[in-house]
């Protein structure tokens, strides 16, 4: 079955810098790649997704890149702010089943 | 619109007890998922329902875990009998129909098994 590896378990950046979180997946059938954010003591909240028919998607300060050949996707947060501090989870599924397999999470800390 | 509602928020059980966790999905959503979250294992899929039909029953979780969708607006997850290793946060999520993958998560039920 699908396996999603999230490479950075922790990441610290200065406020205003960019943060990059990288994930890889194993199943070539995967075609949907969302990202979720979990703030301390709270549940998961959708932030952005990308499908395999594009290789880049942007929503305000969030950019997702997808490299299907390398089976790799990444979340870029530009101009980071303290409220970006949270655990970020990447996930993958095929668009038929919608069963998301999650990565292990990256704790992002944005330092003032 | 109400989001996903999970009850109870916290549950403490003795080993061997039966516990039932409840979930109400977002109104109109047809897909419902149960996940377990622990620090060590991360997020693990337990069950997946589409229009009340069980699509995925979680493989390794089958023997003591049973999820049911009693109607389109209510689901339960029963753990019987509980073991200390079941201590985790149980998350319910729902999804609308058609070509959208976005999941809406509830706040979770934190289970502690003594």
């Amino acid at each position: 079955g699908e396996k999603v590896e999230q490479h950075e378990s922790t990441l610290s950046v200065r406020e205003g810098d960019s943060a990059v979180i990288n994930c890889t997946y194993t199943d070539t059938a995967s075609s949907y790649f969302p990202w979720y954010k979990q703030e301390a003591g709270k549940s998961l909240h959708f932030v952005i997704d990308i499908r395999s028919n594009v290789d880049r998607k942007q929503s305000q300060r969030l950019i997702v890149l997808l490299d299907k050949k390398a089976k790799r996707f990444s979340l870029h947060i530009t101009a980071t702010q303290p409220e970006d501090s949270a655990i970020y989870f990447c996930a993958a599924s095929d668009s038929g089943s919608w069963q998301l397999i999650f990565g292990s999470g990256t704790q992002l800390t944005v330092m003032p | 619109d109400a989001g996903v509602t999970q009850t109870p928020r916290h549950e403490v059980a003795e080993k061997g007890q039966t516990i039932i966790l409840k979930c109400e999905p977002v109104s109109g959503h047809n897909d419902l998922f149960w996940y377990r979250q622990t620090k060590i294992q991360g997020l693990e899929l337990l069950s997946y329902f589409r229009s009340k039909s069980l699509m995925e029953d979680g493989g390794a979780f089958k023997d003591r875990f049973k999820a049911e969708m009693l109607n389109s607006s209510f689901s339960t997850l029963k753990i019987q009998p509980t073991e200390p290793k079941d201590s985790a946060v149980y998350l319910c999520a729902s999804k609308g129909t058609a070509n959208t993958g976005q999941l809406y998560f509830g706040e979770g039920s934190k289970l502690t098994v003594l």
Side-chain angles (χ1 to χ4, degrees):
Chain A
E2 173 69 279
K3 285 186 172 49
V4 177
E5 188 171 345
Q6 201 159 342
H7 297 269
E8 299 84 5
S9 57
T10 61
L11 181 62
S12 290
V13 299
R14 289 264 174 225
E15 183 177 356
D17 287 350
S18 291
V20 182
I21 303 171
N22 296 284
C23 290
T24 52
Y25 61 98
T26 58
D27 191 348
T28 51
S30 288
S31 57
Y32 175 68
F33 307 92
W35 290 84
Y36 285 80
K37 176 182 181 182
Q38 186 172 36
E39 295 173 66
K42 299 198 173 176
S43 192
L44 280 76
H45 174 74
F46 171 86
V47 290
I48 191 170
D49 60 11
I50 190 167
R51 298 189 191 211
S52 57
N53 58 340
V54 296
D55 53 20
R56 185 182 191 278
K57 183 175 179 179
Q58 181 164 0
S59 174
Q60 298 182 316
R61 296 186 296 107
L62 303 177
I63 301 169
V64 183
L65 302 178
L66 174 63
D67 180 344
K68 290 188 291 290
K69 267 192 185 171
K71 296 205 206 84
R72 181 172 58 218
F73 59 113
S74 56
L75 174 67
H76 299 243
I77 306 173
T78 62
T80 53
Q81 301 167 0
E83 53 264 39
D84 295 328
S85 295
I87 302 175
Y88 289 82
F89 291 91
C90 62
S93 79
D94 64 75
S95 56
S97 73
W98 298 112
Q99 293 178 52
L100 292 178
I101 304 301
F102 283 88
S104 52
T106 297
Q107 173 71 63
L108 172 66
T109 303
V110 179
M111 298 173 292
Chain B
D1 271 346
V4 176
T5 302
Q6 289 188 248
T7 55
R9 293 294 312 277
H10 301 273
E11 178 83 53
V12 179
E14 297 283 339
K15 179 184 171 181
Q17 268 188 280
T18 296
I19 65 102
I20 297 176
L21 306 177
K22 305 178 185 80
C23 175
E24 295 173 38
V26 174
S27 178
H29 280 190
N30 282 354
D31 290 8
L32 186 139
F33 302 80
W34 283 98
Y35 282 90
R36 183 169 81 170
Q37 185 177 27
T38 60
K39 278 197 164 51
I40 294 175
Q41 298 293 339
L43 285 149
E44 301 168 286
L45 179 66
L46 301 176
S47 290
Y48 166 36
F49 292 90
R50 172 172 289 177
S51 299
K52 299 190 292 179
S53 296
L54 183 63
M55 308 297 289
E56 168 63 48
D57 64 2
F61 294 97
K62 279 164 72 168
D63 58 343
R64 296 181 300 105
F65 292 73
K66 184 176 174 63
E68 290 185 303
M69 192 106 198
L70 304 177
N71 56 54
S72 61
S73 57
F74 187 69
S75 176
T76 58
L77 176 66
K78 181 193 284 189
I79 308 175
Q80 177 183 39
T82 52
E83 298 181 6
K85 65 182 179 181
D86 300 332
S87 298
V89 176
Y90 291 83
L91 294 167
C92 177
S94 69
K95 185 176 83 64
T97 54
N99 205 21
T100 172
Q102 181 178 341
L103 296 185
Y104 293 79
F105 281 86
E107 294 296 309
S109 293
K110 184 174 180 180
L111 173 65
T112 303
V113 182
L114 306 173

